[in-house]
Amino acid sequence: MIQAAIAGLVSGGVYALLGVCVVLLYRMVGVLNLAQAAIGVFGMFVVLVCYENHWPLGLAVAIGLLTSAVLGGLLGGVMAHWFSEASLQVRSSVTIAFLISILTVGMWIFGSDPRPVPNLVGTGSLWVGGLVIPHLALVILGTALLLAGSISLLLQHTLLGVWLRALAERPTAAELLGVPAQALTVGVWAVAGAISCLAILLIAPSRSPEFPVLSLLVLPGMAAALLGLFKSFSLTILGGLGIGLIEGLASSLPAVAPYRQALWFLVMLAALLWIQRKEVWDAAR
Amino acid sequence: MLRASPWFLLALIALALLPLLLPSYWLFLLTSMLISSMVTLSVGLVSGMAGMISLGQLSFAGVGGWMVAYFNANNLPIPFVLQVLIGALVAVPLGIVIGLPALRVRGMHLAVVTFGFAAVADLFFTILNFPGGVMGKPVLRPDFLSHDRSYYWFCLFLFALLVLGVNALYRSRLGSAWLAVKHSERAAAAMGLNVAATKLWAFAMSAFIAGLSGGLLAGQVGLLSATNFSPTASLILFASAIMVGARYPAGAVLAGMMAWLVPEVLGRLHLSQNLGNLIFALGTIAALKAGGGVFEVAARQKKPTATPLFSSPATLAPTTHTPTDRVVLEVQNLCVAYGQVQALNKVSFSLKEGQVLGLVGPNGAGKSSLVDALSGFTPYQGRVQLEGRSLEGLNAAQRARAGLRRSFQQDRTITELSVQAYLEFSAGRALPKEELAWALEFAGLTALGLGLHSLNMGTRRRLEVAGILLSRPKVVLLDEPAAGLSSEESLQLARQIASIPARYGCAVILIEHDMEVVRAACSEVVVLDFGSLIEAGPTTRVLSSPRVAAAYLGEEVLA
């Protein structure tokens, strides 16, 4: 039972990482990005192509991360340039168009033939008290915690963090005070892009490595972000891990096991309805 | 009431004749276009009309298709036409279930939920597989539909029925209700509308239309698979619906056609068909930038058609109505608290028949809280009675229907409607010409066919008041109706408000900052300050009272 739950940690950690990216963009630049995972998938496919051509894995990964960062930055630039005054709703709808574009271009360039997916971490595991904990789960967990910690430190203790917080709270006021809003927006998009590429690279070996399938991983990521109320990075990570644990547990029940990758939907629905339970009306007054 | 424009008939005849001229490949393509148009029609209904983003419409289609495949694979003795209909009906409860979160979850969050539904449905379709899919047992059409041409005509017939039906719906009260909910749920409820039911109807009907398309697709292609209904395909149809503006049935047809024509044309030009999706994506970005799809932008720029009225308005009584002693609205010990903040503290007053009662007080005195409490938008303690009937336990819509109507400080009118449609929606009934003429005069307008989007703010506000009065309420709460009007317009509005009891026999509570307006319209006033009632009585006496002056001047000095 516990062993089954632990098996869900890998997925959970990846949901957590993607959730952190979603929260990052939601908080800092006011957009709910449906294309978040797709940006990462694009970079991952670049890694696969490089790996196929026998480039060193480290170099391939670096190029992939960079690709996703550049792609994210580009989209952030479009957002900053044309939709800086638009509402959250409109900006987020634009990401639907981004998602379609990335899916189309990605399928166009990389085709739909299966490619070998490298294991970044290897398949080793750790024995703790009779339980098997895969190295991969530890790496993902570590990355997620490190990330949440450094983002929190950055926001609280550096000038860049103050700028970002100002931009998040009062974009126009921040810009008038000399905060380089456009550059920051592009930067946040780029960083989130690179992180999602890493997340997708880590989960790809255990999923079917198809462009559209992996791009939909943004949804459980959003479920995790929702559990963090689109605000708290640590709660988002806990939320993602929680969803992963539920999936892991479900895999030991034969009746639910095939549908375990739909369970995040129930978590998301429950969380949304609970959070929004008092939102009877659309506007405050 | 089914109305068909000549353009619709012309297009229908052309579409019906096409198969006689075209080879079978194009016939297949045309059938596909019709089926896709049904899906974009359903997107236009739920997202364009009712304003709820649904990214999972193809999954409803999948359910319709699944049912047809199921009947067929199990050789159930159900005629094909009925199978398609049952498939569509089975999608309806699912639509309502997916619509339920929409009662609390809005905007982009709802988009995520519906997209999540699409992903989950995809997972189920993939695992369960469509019946007959594995053993290769295709859906068989009955003899009279076995030819591709007759099947196309069958689809066209159903599609024409859908368009006529949807058009009639859009012109009906339900159509106005969808637009109202899209604009402002509060304003819709204040007009007596059941917001939850309105939203669920939209999801139910759009699921029906989408479900129908899925059944037809099963008949067209025979063997279905999950890829027919993938989340990505849902997304692309949604994007093309946004880009064109599928709220208009013609837009839905165009969007559905483009979904097939664009890749086809690109293919013939030896270009990658992938370009098509990119075009949709870029078109969607452009539409979002422009604030509407092609048809929406065109509708906004269309010159209004002026419908002349040959009726003279019902004349307004020139004298002010003297109040009687009968109490219409009794407020006792009303308290409203937001957390620790006491917004209203034991406010009691009564409104008499034929009275225009002014409610004044500095900013933050609790005037808006009072209106929100009375109209059922804010929970409160205390008692409110309308003509002796307790209002506690009634929600906002029920209060509006009971005869307590309110207006809003901000403009909450439904800009997509014409003047006449708005008035009739707000009144809750079809209006005779004299009453429409009166409303036009009240708002200072000359034509009923004008779209509200083309009117200025002041006119819209007066139209809002006129619409409320035409619903023949017992009590009207007007929340700063003169905000944003010039002083001349304000005084004119004040005189109109003063004449409301005589013309419509309802009592009025007028919340207003402009003392000139209050003096001109109200016989009595009550004054709120810091949530408590500090003065009440005849207008001239109360407004010259030192306590009132202090409450106001204090505020003026601070400001």
Side-chain angles (χ1 to χ4, degrees):
Chain A
M1 200 70 172
I2 300 172
Q3 185 61 59
I6 287 174
L9 274 183
V10 172
S11 304
V14 169
Y15 301 159
L17 280 176
L18 289 171
V20 166
C21 296
V22 168
V23 174
L24 196 65
L25 281 193
Y26 189 84
R27 265 186 70 179
M28 295 304 140
V29 292
V31 64
L32 201 58
N33 185 11
L34 271 179
Q36 190 61 56
I39 296 171
V41 177
F42 197 92
M44 183 207 78
F45 268 86
V46 171
V47 176
L48 295 193
V49 169
C50 295
Y51 182 68
E52 243 178 9
N53 292 311
H54 310 291
W55 292 29
L57 189 55
L59 182 64
V61 170
I63 293 177
L65 294 180
L66 193 68
T67 310
S68 283
V70 170
L71 180 60
L74 271 176
L75 299 181
V78 170
M79 207 56 104
H81 197 261
W82 279 300
F83 293 94
S84 57
E85 300 290 315
S87 66
L88 169 77
Q89 169 86 42
V90 169
R91 272 203 289 240
S92 305
S93 303
V94 173
T95 66
I96 297 176
F98 285 172
L99 175 56
I100 295 176
S101 310
I102 299 173
L103 280 174
T104 307
V105 174
M107 302 281 279
W108 197 354
I109 297 178
F110 302 111
S112 49
D113 299 333
R115 292 166 194 273
V117 181
N119 252 319
L120 288 195
V121 183
T123 48
S125 45
L126 206 67
W127 287 78
V128 181
L131 293 171
V132 186
I133 303 176
H135 285 160
L136 182 59
L138 294 176
V139 169
I140 293 180
L141 220 61
T143 315
L145 291 176
L146 195 73
L147 200 68
S150 48
I151 292 176
S152 296
L153 281 178
L154 178 89
L155 288 181
Q156 298 302 329
H157 298 289
T158 65
L159 177 64
L160 186 64
V162 174
W163 279 359
L164 282 169
R165 273 157 52 205
L167 188 67
E169 304 250 324
R170 294 266 185 280
T172 317
E175 203 168 356
L176 290 174
L177 287 172
V179 173
Q182 283 213 5
L184 280 183
T185 304
V186 171
V188 172
W189 274 80
V191 168
I195 300 172
S196 11
C197 180
L198 182 67
I200 299 288
L201 270 172
L202 291 173
I203 201 177
S206 58
R207 296 284 167 111
S208 81
E210 294 168 58
F211 213 108
V213 174
L214 292 175
S215 298
L216 288 186
L217 283 175
V218 71
L219 289 166
M222 289 209 167
L226 202 68
L227 292 172
L229 303 174
F230 286 113
K231 205 166 66 188
S232 154
F233 291 104
S234 43
L235 280 180
T236 300
I237 288 179
L238 285 178
L241 291 175
I243 295 173
L245 288 179
I246 293 175
E247 272 184 20
L249 280 177
S251 66
S252 63
L253 307 170
V256 236
Y259 306 106
R260 65 182 183 283
Q261 279 166 17
L263 287 173
W264 57 263
F265 185 62
L266 296 180
V267 175
M268 173 197 263
L269 262 187
L272 257 181
L273 292 179
W274 174 254
I275 294 164
Q276 306 274 96
R277 69 193 181 282
K278 287 186 182 152
E279 305 295 316
V280 181
W281 303 108
D282 47 351
R285 176 167 271 172
Chain B
M1 179 177 52
L2 294 181
R3 263 188 289 178
S5 75
W7 287 112
F8 173 74
L9 289 174
L10 214 64
L12 200 62
I13 293 170
L15 281 172
L17 290 179
L18 267 179
L20 302 174
L21 310 170
L22 292 173
S24 63
Y25 172 75
W26 279 95
L27 197 60
F28 188 86
L29 214 58
L30 273 176
T31 311
S32 307
M33 286 181 201
L34 284 178
I35 292 172
S36 292
S37 299
M38 291 183 189
V39 182
T40 45
L41 196 66
S42 78
V43 174
L45 196 161
V46 70
S47 300
M49 286 295 283
M52 298 178 288
I53 300 184
S54 171
L55 299 180
Q57 289 302 109
L58 269 183
S59 305
F60 296 127
V63 171
W66 205 91
M67 289 310 292
V68 171
Y70 175 82
F71 292 138
N72 202 77
N74 293 293
N75 298 318
L76 295 182
I78 301 171
F80 175 75
V81 179
L82 203 59
Q83 292 180 5
V84 173
L85 195 67
I86 294 175
L89 287 174
V90 169
V92 169
L94 190 67
I96 293 175
V97 169
I98 296 303
L100 281 174
L103 303 183
R104 290 291 178 276
V105 180
R106 296 176 181 84
M108 210 50 207
H109 291 130
L110 184 63
V112 174
V113 169
T114 52
F115 195 44
F117 160 64
V120 170
D122 187 49
L123 186 74
F124 274 70
F125 289 149
T126 312
I127 294 175
L128 293 175
N129 229 316
F130 281 84
V134 183
M135 40 194 167
K137 190 166 180 227
V139 172
L140 292 177
R141 301 198 293 252
D143 287 341
F144 75 102
L145 293 177
S146 60
H147 196 280
D148 281 350
R149 196 178 290 165
S150 52
Y151 194 65
Y152 167 77
W153 279 323
F154 174 65
C155 292
L156 183 63
F157 170 72
L158 286 184
F159 183 68
L161 279 187
L162 281 181
V163 169
L164 284 176
V166 161
N167 241 333
L169 264 182
Y170 287 2
R171 287 167 199 275
S172 72
R173 183 168 166 77
L174 187 56
S176 302
W178 285 332
L179 290 173
V181 165
K182 174 166 83 170
H183 269 269
S184 163
E185 291 177 17
R186 279 175 179 260
M191 289 187 189
L193 198 73
N194 184 337
V195 173
T198 306
K199 287 179 154 186
L200 291 181
W201 267 115
F203 261 101
M205 297 216 171
S206 83
F208 178 83
I209 299 174
L212 201 68
S213 79
L216 290 176
L217 185 69
Q220 187 199 12
V221 301
L223 287 174
L224 292 175
S225 78
T227 48
N228 290 103
F229 309 105
S230 75
T232 317
S234 261
L235 217 55
I236 291 170
L237 278 178
F238 178 84
S240 60
I242 291 224
M243 170 177 157
V244 183
R247 182 161 80 75
Y248 300 90
V253 176
L254 189 59
M257 290 183 107
M258 281 184 352
W260 291 93
L261 267 187
V262 170
E264 180 65 28
V265 170
L266 289 170
R268 301 213 164 215
L269 295 173
H270 302 289
L271 292 167
S272 168
Q273 303 195 343
N274 289 313
L275 270 177
N277 291 344
L278 279 185
I279 292 173
F280 292 143
L282 292 178
T284 306
I285 293 178
L288 286 167
K289 183 81 188 133
V294 177
F295 275 72
E296 274 140 357
V297 172
R300 246 182 273 150
Q301 278 159 4
K302 202 169 72 176
K303 289 272 174 286
T305 45
T307 329
L309 261 177
F310 295 108
S311 185
S312 58
T315 44
L316 297 167
T319 51
T320 40
H321 198 77
T322 39
T324 65
D325 279 342
R326 199 170 73 87
V327 171
V328 213
L329 187 76
E330 177 84 52
V331 179
Q332 288 170 324
N333 291 326
L334 193 80
C335 299
V336 171
Y338 304 115
Q340 296 296 314
V341 183
Q342 192 77 24
L344 287 175
N345 192 10
K346 293 197 173 170
V347 173
S348 304
F349 64 92
S350 57
L351 179 69
K352 298 184 193 74
E353 187 180 30
Q355 193 180 23
V356 180
L357 179 69
L359 177 63
V360 300
N363 278 336
K367 304 188 297 292
S368 293
S369 295
L370 182 63
V371 175
D372 278 351
L374 293 180
S375 54
F377 287 98
T378 300
Y380 61 86
Q381 288 177 321
R383 284 185 71 184
V384 180
Q385 285 181 302
L386 182 68
E387 291 193 331
R389 178 189 174 196
S390 247
L391 290 183
E392 281 76 55
L394 297 189
N395 65 28
Q398 288 164 333
R399 286 173 193 228
R401 287 197 290 269
L404 184 107
R405 290 282 300 256
R406 67 167 290 184
S407 73
F408 286 89
Q409 255 182 56
Q410 310 87 341
D411 174 36
R412 291 254 170 90
T413 51
I414 309 157
T415 48
E416 276 111 331
L417 291 181
S418 70
V419 170
Q420 179 172 1
Y422 178 77
L423 288 170
E424 294 190 337
F425 179 64
S426 179
R429 63 198 163 97
L431 295 169
K433 276 192 175 163
E434 306 81 58
E435 290 192 73
L436 286 171
W438 172 82
L440 283 189
E441 197 184 80
F442 190 96
L445 281 168
T446 52
L448 286 170
L450 290 173
L452 256 58
H453 60 85
S454 65
L455 304 180
N456 64 30
M457 189 74 88
T459 313
R460 281 190 214 168
R461 302 201 70 123
R462 282 187 286 175
L463 209 57
E464 185 188 10
V465 177
I468 289 175
L469 294 177
L470 288 172
S471 74
R472 302 195 175 279
K474 293 171 185 140
V475 171
V476 180
L477 310 173
L478 297 178
D479 197 351
E480 298 196 20
L485 300 189
S486 72
S487 65
E488 202 172 311
E489 284 176 316
S490 303
L491 282 180
Q492 193 199 344
L493 183 66
R495 282 192 289 273
Q496 287 176 322
I497 292 171
S499 71
I500 286 174
R503 177 72 184 86
Y504 276 98
C506 57
V508 180
I509 295 180
L510 173 67
I511 295 163
E512 193 47 71
H513 265 308
D514 187 339
M515 288 306 143
E516 292 302 308
V517 173
V518 174
R519 280 201 182 88
C522 307
S523 50
E524 291 190 25
V525 291
V526 292
V527 185
L528 287 179
D529 194 21
F530 293 116
S532 299
L533 200 152
I534 56 167
E535 280 283 1
T539 310
T540 36
R541 182 177 66 76
V542 170
L543 291 190
S544 55
S545 128
R547 277 181 81 185
V548 175
Y552 258 91
L553 283 178
E555 189 245 350
E556 298 278 38
V557 171
L558 280 176

